[in-house]
Amino acid sequence: MRFISFRLKEEKRFGVWLQEEEIVIDLHSYYLDREERINTLLAFIQSGKQVNEEWQEISSTYHIPYHDVVLEAPIPRPAKNVFCVGKNYRDHAIEMGSEKDIPEHPMIFTKAPTTVSAPHEVLTFPKDMSEALDYEGELAVVIGQEGKRIAKEDAFDYIFGYTIVNDLTARDLQKKHGQFFVGKSLDGSCPMGPAIVHASAIENPHQLTLTTRVNKELRQNGSTSDLIFDIPELIHVLSKGMTLEPGDIIATGTPAGVGKGFKPPKYLTDGDVISIEIEGIGTLQNEIRK
Ligand code: MG
């Protein structure tokens, strides 16, 4: 199932997107009619509910044509910062410096909840904010179950699903302020979506092709098989001393081909359209205004 958050005539809702049928199943209205307080996709994930048994009934009653909805980020306002992994693909670590930049342990930083923006949203980053705005196409994991000290072999039991994020980064601010946070947390700098694909629909998250195009020019062409620290390892490391909770998001890192990796660098300019595609998940597309 492809879970989405959307607006229908300005009303915020969530549901399941049946892509081939061009239909959206409105779970929001289903729970509202049952007076259950599940009014966001995040609340649905937190509730631990599954819709398998009721699916027949829900899908025959609560459907909306896809062209009537406007997609939001699946989790437009996460409960906490988005967890991110730096330099988690060998070739990307090298393009950011040299072989010495390949990390021995996962390099974790975060993006503020206010960074999350919608698929297809036009994002404005004035020049006086950053002159070196860069894209990073990434596979993101959405946690479905609370856990601490999660063993690698159990990690997949804690995953709700997978989505795409663009870890937009102001390289100049990232460098200037030493710590990554400021350069990684500009408002809107974490486009997410278009959907969270349920874990049961992704046979192997470590065998997915990831491409990023800027104005149709292929910039990143990677595979999640090249992750240095794979998904169980990231969940294991993060949960060692910190509780992971339903709705937590882990962006797993970006492959080679970011703007900074080119000589001269190819930073984003006004009107650039970034399309990130991950096999089995979809395409996340945003236009930049500078
Ligand atoms: Mg990144």
Side-chain angles (χ1 to χ4, degrees):
M1 283 183 183
R2 313 176 82 77
F3 290 90
I4 55 170
S5 296
F6 60 94
R7 277 181 288 125
L8 180 72
K9 300 188 182 86
E10 295 313 307
E11 259 184 48
K12 286 174 191 261
R13 299 192 186 183
F14 76 97
V16 174
W17 179 14
L18 306 180
Q19 235 177 343
E20 281 181 18
E21 294 87 337
E22 297 185 15
I23 282 172
V24 171
I25 307 301
D26 181 2
L27 288 179
H28 182 271
S29 297
Y30 170 76
Y31 287 114
L32 197 69
D33 286 353
R34 269 148 198 78
E35 294 181 355
E36 291 194 58
R37 287 185 58 85
I38 300 178
N39 54 9
T40 61
L41 180 52
L42 177 59
F44 175 79
I45 295 168
Q46 289 167 334
S47 76
K49 285 203 183 280
Q50 295 186 350
V51 287
N52 302 337
E53 282 168 25
E54 313 89 326
W55 183 246
Q56 197 70 24
E57 181 203 341
I58 302 171
S59 57
S60 60
T61 315
Y62 295 91
H63 47 81
I64 303 167
Y66 176 70
H67 60 74
D68 285 354
V69 313
V70 178
L71 289 181
E72 295 273 359
I75 302 179
R77 180 58 75 101
K80 53 180 92 149
N81 287 15
V82 177
F83 304 124
C84 300
V85 187
K87 300 177 184 168
N88 201 17
Y89 288 80
R90 198 174 175 277
D91 291 350
H92 171 62
I94 293 169
E95 77 178 345
M96 296 302 277
S98 67
E99 297 252 349
K100 286 186 199 134
D101 288 86
I102 299 169
E104 280 177 39
H105 303 280
M107 205 175 141
I108 314 283
F109 61 91
T110 70
K111 293 172 85 79
T114 39
T115 57
V116 176
S117 52
H120 308 298
E121 194 171 330
V122 177
L123 303 168
T124 302
F125 300 95
K127 279 204 183 68
D128 62 0
M129 191 188 277
S130 171
E131 288 182 354
L133 188 71
D134 207 350
Y135 52 86
E136 296 189 354
E138 307 197 9
L139 173 71
V141 175
V142 180
I143 296 297
Q145 212 193 116
E146 183 178 308
K148 198 172 177 185
R149 301 182 76 83
I150 300 168
K152 283 182 217 173
E153 53 270 32
D154 299 331
F156 284 112
D157 298 343
Y158 291 82
I159 297 174
F160 176 82
Y162 302 93
T163 190
I164 306 169
V165 302
N166 185 352
D167 173 19
L168 286 166
T169 305
R171 299 288 181 210
D172 40 0
L173 300 181
Q174 186 181 19
K175 193 170 173 213
K176 181 174 162 187
H177 295 280
Q179 227 258 9
F180 281 14
F181 187 69
V182 172
K184 292 281 191 177
S185 279
L186 303 181
D187 283 355
S189 68
C190 190
M192 181 189 298
I196 298 174
V197 177
H198 194 262
S200 61
I202 301 288
E203 202 178 315
N204 184 357
H206 297 116
Q207 278 302 338
L208 304 176
T209 302
L210 184 162
T211 57
T212 302
R213 288 179 167 78
V214 177
N215 307 327
K216 298 190 180 151
E217 180 192 330
L218 184 65
R219 298 280 184 89
Q220 297 186 287
N221 188 7
S223 168
T224 55
S225 60
D226 292 329
L227 284 170
I228 298 173
F229 305 105
D230 67 8
I231 294 164
E233 173 87 25
L234 295 175
I235 289 177
H236 172 67
V237 168
L238 271 167
S239 71
K240 219 168 193 174
M242 176 186 73
T243 305
L244 283 174
E245 296 178 301
D248 284 351
I249 299 155
I250 306 167
T252 56
T254 201
V258 301
K260 183 179 162 45
F262 291 89
K263 300 211 168 24
K266 294 184 177 183
Y267 294 129
L268 295 165
T269 56
D270 186 55
D272 280 350
V273 176
I274 312 150
S275 298
I276 302 164
E277 187 176 356
I278 301 183
E279 197 183 348
I281 299 183
T283 304
L284 174 67
Q285 186 171 299
N286 296 87
E287 186 177 335
I288 299 296
R289 287 266 177 266
K290 296 267 305 164

